Amino acid sequence: MALLSLDHVQLAMPAGREEDARAFYCGLLGLHEQTKPANLAKRGGCWFGREALKVHLGVEGDFQPARKAHPAFIVDDLADFRKTLETAGCLVVEDEPLEGYDRFYVYDPFGNRIEMMQPLQP
């Protein structure tokens, strides 16, 4: 028995904010919205992805943003992502250095923390 891979990351969101999710995850992060199965679509929320990367946002009645727990995404141009996010008014936060990476945190429209990372060239 062995774990093989990660299928998706799920984050919570408040009800009725799907357009905000689309603007951030599609418009700023460049993911594509995926169709939710009909039996799950009635719950609200959105699914996004690109190739092997999948992020599901599910509606949580008593929503509290994930301020410590977070997904970390590897990006190909951290400086460009930062400029895009800051220009859109997103809060970008520096943290302690992590050997081998440049990185920062950004918060989605609901306050969930997301780490953006780019490996340093040797």
Side-chain angles (χ1 to χ4, degrees):
M1 182 174 87
L3 294 176
L4 300 177
S5 66
L6 179 66
D7 183 75
H8 67 276
V9 170
Q10 174 138 359
L11 297 171
M13 63 176 277
R17 304 266 316 266
E18 287 80 3
E19 286 305 315
D20 293 331
R22 289 179 184 104
F24 183 80
Y25 288 93
C26 294
L28 294 176
L29 300 190
L31 299 177
H32 305 287
E33 186 167 5
Q34 299 177 328
T35 303
K36 290 180 69 171
N39 61 318
L40 299 179
K42 62 186 173 189
R43 298 178 185 177
C46 304
W47 288 5
F48 303 99
R50 188 169 153 256
E51 298 169 12
L53 190 149
K54 293 185 266 184
V55 178
H56 295 178
L57 273 85
V59 170
E60 188 169 356
D62 188 20
F63 173 74
Q64 294 293 316
R67 298 202 181 274
K68 182 70 174 172
H70 63 275
F73 299 136
I74 300 293
V75 303
D76 64 354
D77 189 337
L78 193 69
D80 189 49
F81 259 100
R82 182 180 191 127
K83 182 178 178 184
T84 297
L85 294 165
E86 288 177 334
T87 299
C90 296
L91 174 63
V92 172
V93 178
E94 292 291 329
D95 197 29
E96 302 221 6
L98 180 63
E99 186 175 342
Y101 295 91
D102 279 334
R103 67 185 184 136
F104 62 79
Y105 291 103
V106 65
Y107 293 85
D108 76 3
F110 321 115
N112 294 312
R113 182 166 80 158
I114 298 170
E115 187 173 5
M116 299 293 188
M117 306 175 72
Q118 182 174 7
L120 296 172
Q121 298 298 323

